[in-house]
Amino acid sequence: MAWFRREKKKIGGQKRDLPPDVWTKCDKCGEILYREKLADNLDVCPECGHHFKIPPDDYAKLLLDNALEEEHDADLHSVDPLEFVGPTPYADRYARAVRQVGRAEAVLTGRGHVDGRAVLFGAMDFRFIGGSMGSVVGEKIARATERAVERQEPLILVSASGGARMMEGVLSLMQMAKTSSALGRLHKAGLPYISILTHPTTGGVTASFAMLGDVIIAEPGALIGFAGPRVIEQTIGQELPDGFQRSEFLLEHGAIDMIVPRPALKDSVSKLLGHMVDGST
Amino acid sequence: MASHEEFERSIGDVVAQIGKLKEMASSGGLDVETELKKLESRLAELRAETYANVTPLEQVQIARHQQRPHSLDMIERIFTDFIELHGDRGFRDDPAVVTGWGRLAERSVMVIAQQKGRNTKGNLKRNFAMMHPEGYRKALRMMRQAEKFRRPIISLIDTPAAYPGIGAEERGQSEAIARNLLEMSLIETPILVAVIGEGGSGGALGLSVGDRIIMLEHAIYSVISPEGCASILWKENTEEARSKAAAALKLTAPDLKRLGVIDELIEEPKGGAHTDWDGAAEILSEALQRNLDELRSLPVDQLLQGRYEKFRAMGVWGGGE
């Protein structure tokens, strides 16, 4: 093992000689990629098809006609309801995330259009405390869902999350019930909800709104599950097989409807909405 | 006699002394009346003291106490005519959750209850009350049955977590829990939830979307175990880190009452439910009946609106004025 680690460092050393803003290395195949070209390819490695993580704004751009036309609830922010005392105070960790990401929370919500059809849209930001769901994320998702019911428009959510935000304790757990109840109303109203799962989506987000789509689409190779692989390995005392809890595994086990590479996402969503809501019956 | 946790060791000592004394009295015909009385009053004092000042981590130990009454112990004492029903009609019967019809004060209710084992054999069978997806699906099937016959649902919560394993993931653990959350918000019959031991994260929540959430005094309800939180945030699973995590998570019944997550805290017999199962069952039974009577008097649309608003209001944030 140690020998391999040293070898990896050498490659890293090589990489540092490249201008870091121009080049990047694929996490999966190790290919050195020209950043601009990678961006043109929607951050999908042209060599191996690996999907890099992208921020919620990028999903808004690639799924919606004119990106997000109005953003909702951008000022909602966490107030550290438990005054959580950890090794790093939650308030500090939160402030750092806000500075790093330039947004008040781990989800972006608003309204836009998909091929001319108005939709309510939300996308999560894994960079923001692991895309964890606390009171604000739950509230924004619930509001987006309720707006979809009010306006009689479809809902599209892009998930990326490590689960519930433990620094908000049981209040974060309750967001699972809150968002799922709101989706119950959307369901009763006969409106479509398309859930898009990206790498990684686990824990409380998977066990609530992410798995409740009328149609669930996953990007290729995304880790999607209830428990994280490390927790499972500790519980069962053995290593997990390759590909366990990846999109392809979920499709095979009937847990999701389809796997769609990023460049084809909008087309799939648009076709589905066409079947679900357009025209006469 | 009962095993005792570290913090209640002095209680254990007195209990042992009483046991010995009683044994001596029965075998040797000695008169130990005075001494016994003294010890028993000392025991009552000790219990009151110990349980009045437990730390959050000790609270967790009480909730998991080996001698704590489990769901079936409560069911046996609270419901009559209990008839267990099995299986999700899809994959298998999950013994980590017991479901079936029972009568509470003469009236039929559907009981959904997470069941721990009392020993190794029992825990192997019950999987430590850690449910698989088919358990959540079995519970949902029973809840639909209750809805069909317009009978209320009582959900007893006592689980460390939903099971994190290969089969559980293969069969859609996250979907099974998510589905229950959504469906329970729409079920057209009263749902009364009682947390009687451990309310372990999504594993507990998957049976806990109800009109009322009541909780025994020494039960806990948390997004993550203190052990899990300690190893993720403190990067160590030491007593000190667990203790800090348990305090930070605000997982005790009084904390949850303050946060508006539970509706009612039910006081346990002095010294905890594990010292007096009959007493604990009687207190729980009264609380279930009283809450159910109130819920039964509500029209269905009002019931569902109330249930929606209850969870809709949970959480604390700033902005958005």
Side-chain angles (χ1 to χ4, degrees):
Chain A
M1 274 315 277
W3 183 82
F4 281 108
R5 285 211 183 108
R6 273 199 298 277
E7 201 59 17
K8 268 190 183 166
K9 268 185 188 158
K10 264 189 199 164
I11 296 170
Q14 252 177 1
K15 200 185 113 195
R16 270 197 295 277
D17 299 332
L18 301 165
D21 295 342
V22 181
W23 299 94
T24 192
K25 197 180 79 176
C26 177
D27 301 335
K28 198 176 169 198
C29 70
E31 186 71 20
I32 306 292
L33 302 167
Y34 191 38
R35 259 189 200 278
E36 206 174 293
K37 229 177 173 178
L38 184 63
D40 287 346
N41 204 35
L42 303 172
D43 286 272
V44 177
C45 173
E47 294 302 316
C48 71
H50 172 65
H51 284 52
F52 285 71
K53 287 195 193 80
I54 58 171
D57 319 70
D58 287 9
Y59 279 108
K61 273 183 223 152
L62 80 92
L63 284 163
L64 304 172
D65 301 344
N66 313 298
L68 214 54
E69 290 160 49
E70 38 180 285
E71 184 180 347
H72 297 149
D73 309 314
D75 64 325
L76 295 198
H77 57 270
S78 176
V79 291
D80 189 9
L82 305 188
E83 294 172 356
F84 191 93
V85 189
T88 316
Y90 175 38
D92 295 354
R93 180 115 192 252
Y94 184 84
R96 203 174 66 212
V98 172
R99 267 199 315 278
Q100 276 173 354
V101 176
R103 184 189 322 288
E105 258 298 345
V107 68
L108 168 74
T109 57
R111 189 166 175 265
H113 289 81
V114 177
D115 290 338
R117 297 180 201 90
V119 297
L120 276 301
F121 176 87
M124 300 187 76
D125 198 329
F126 193 77
R127 299 169 303 173
F128 200 105
I129 318 185
S132 54
M133 171 159 68
S135 299
V136 174
V137 170
E139 181 66 18
K140 286 176 84 168
I141 299 283
R143 287 190 187 187
T145 308
E146 286 176 341
R147 279 195 189 97
V149 177
E150 271 163 41
R151 295 180 188 248
Q152 294 284 298
E153 291 169 0
L155 176 69
I156 299 169
L157 297 176
V158 183
S159 293
S161 172
R165 188 170 299 164
M166 68 184 126
M167 292 83 93
E168 291 191 26
V170 79
L171 291 178
S172 62
L173 186 70
M174 293 301 138
Q175 304 311 308
M176 295 166 62
K178 181 202 267 188
T179 53
S180 302
S181 302
L183 286 168
R185 294 206 157 179
L186 186 87
H187 176 69
K188 282 261 169 193
L191 293 162
Y193 161 38
I194 295 175
S195 173
I196 300 173
L197 311 181
T198 72
H199 178 74
T201 303
T202 61
V205 166
T206 324
S208 61
F209 63 85
M211 275 296 170
L212 292 172
D214 293 300
V215 172
I216 304 175
I217 302 175
E219 286 192 339
L223 178 77
I224 300 160
F226 173 66
R230 251 181 314 169
V231 174
I232 299 174
E233 283 179 344
Q234 278 168 15
T235 307
I236 63 173
Q238 65 190 69
E239 266 185 52
L240 294 169
D242 268 356
F244 184 70
Q245 294 182 309
R246 296 286 164 173
S247 307
E248 297 72 17
F249 170 95
L250 271 87
L251 184 70
E252 192 187 319
H253 285 87
I256 58 174
D257 290 276
M258 57 205 289
I259 296 173
V260 179
R262 199 173 285 161
L265 271 181
K266 184 178 179 182
D267 188 49
S268 297
V269 170
S270 180
K271 269 189 192 143
L272 287 166
L273 292 181
H275 285 298
M276 291 167 172
V277 294
D278 285 358
S280 57
T281 51
Chain B
M1 177 57 206
S3 65
H4 286 82
E5 302 289 349
E6 190 65 31
F7 70 95
E8 46 172 19
R9 184 163 284 169
S10 48
I11 293 178
D13 292 345
V14 179
V15 169
Q17 281 178 42
I18 291 176
K20 259 190 216 151
L21 214 55
K22 280 184 176 164
E23 209 176 287
M24 276 162 62
S26 63
S27 59
L30 284 164
D31 180 25
V32 292
E33 202 63 28
T34 340
E35 188 62 16
L36 202 59
K37 265 201 184 128
K38 241 197 276 175
L39 277 174
E40 272 168 354
S41 84
R42 173 77 194 121
L43 182 63
E45 258 171 53
L46 256 179
R47 277 192 171 139
E49 267 170 44
T50 308
Y51 285 85
N53 300 302
V54 288
T55 66
L57 189 61
E58 286 163 355
Q59 193 66 259
V60 173
Q61 290 166 351
I62 302 172
R64 295 173 181 166
H65 203 290
Q66 269 196 29
Q67 297 302 319
R68 197 170 169 83
H70 295 159
S71 287
L72 282 172
D73 306 315
M74 291 295 201
I75 288 173
E76 198 176 285
R77 287 168 174 76
I78 295 174
F79 302 97
T80 53
D81 272 359
F82 182 72
I83 179 159
E84 188 177 351
L85 305 174
H86 295 272
D88 71 335
R89 296 280 201 270
F91 183 70
R92 66 157 194 151
D93 183 49
D94 186 347
V97 61
V98 171
T99 58
W101 291 106
R103 272 179 212 283
L104 177 64
E106 309 295 314
R107 301 177 73 175
S108 286
V109 294
M110 177 60 80
V111 186
I112 314 278
Q114 292 168 326
Q115 180 62 31
K116 288 183 176 175
R118 180 83 48 207
N119 49 36
T120 308
K121 196 175 157 218
N123 270 322
L124 276 177
K125 176 178 175 192
R126 302 289 180 185
N127 198 32
F128 300 86
M130 293 193 282
M131 290 164 64
H132 278 77
E134 52 272 20
Y136 293 98
R137 290 172 185 141
K138 164 166 97 169
L140 184 59
R141 182 170 84 79
M142 301 311 167
M143 290 191 265
R144 292 220 175 293
Q145 191 167 131
E147 182 183 44
K148 175 174 173 181
F149 299 108
R150 285 172 296 153
R151 304 284 191 242
I153 297 158
I154 290 178
S155 181
L156 301 182
I157 300 303
D158 189 13
T159 182
Y163 188 62
I166 290 181
E169 294 290 327
E170 285 174 337
R171 299 194 289 281
Q173 186 72 292
S174 44
E175 192 273 346
I177 293 172
R179 180 65 48 200
N180 278 20
L181 303 181
L182 186 151
E183 298 296 342
M184 288 180 84
S185 77
L186 299 173
I187 284 203
E188 296 187 350
T189 194
I191 303 177
L192 175 56
V193 179
V195 186
I196 62 166
E198 273 187 279
S201 198
L205 186 68
L207 300 181
S208 298
V209 177
D211 304 296
R212 294 275 167 85
I213 321 289
I214 63 177
M215 187 165 171
L216 288 181
E217 182 186 359
H218 295 300
I220 56 165
Y221 196 176
S222 182
V223 67
I224 189 167
S225 68
E227 292 81 1
C229 181
S231 58
I232 294 172
L233 289 186
W234 278 265
K235 316 272 183 220
E236 53 180 303
N237 195 354
T238 59
E239 166 101 15
E240 197 195 345
R242 284 198 297 275
S243 173
K244 284 178 181 168
L249 285 166
K250 305 278 193 291
L251 43 65
T252 67
D255 281 331
L256 295 168
K257 183 81 178 63
R258 261 193 300 280
L259 289 167
V261 170
I262 61 163
D263 299 290
E264 186 181 331
L265 182 159
I266 310 161
E267 275 190 36
E268 294 181 19
K270 286 275 170 288
H274 58 283
T275 62
D276 180 3
W277 291 10
D278 290 341
E282 197 178 311
I283 295 167
L284 179 61
S285 177
E286 183 280 324
L288 292 174
Q289 288 176 49
R290 180 167 36 77
N291 279 284
L292 214 50
D293 283 344
E294 287 169 26
L295 295 175
R296 274 186 172 121
S297 69
L298 299 173
V300 161
D301 53 344
Q302 211 175 310
L303 193 71
L304 291 192
Q305 183 64 23
R307 196 183 301 159
Y308 186 78
E309 282 167 8
K310 174 184 184 57
F311 288 94
R312 189 65 191 80
M314 285 188 192
V316 183
W317 61 88
E321 296 317 316

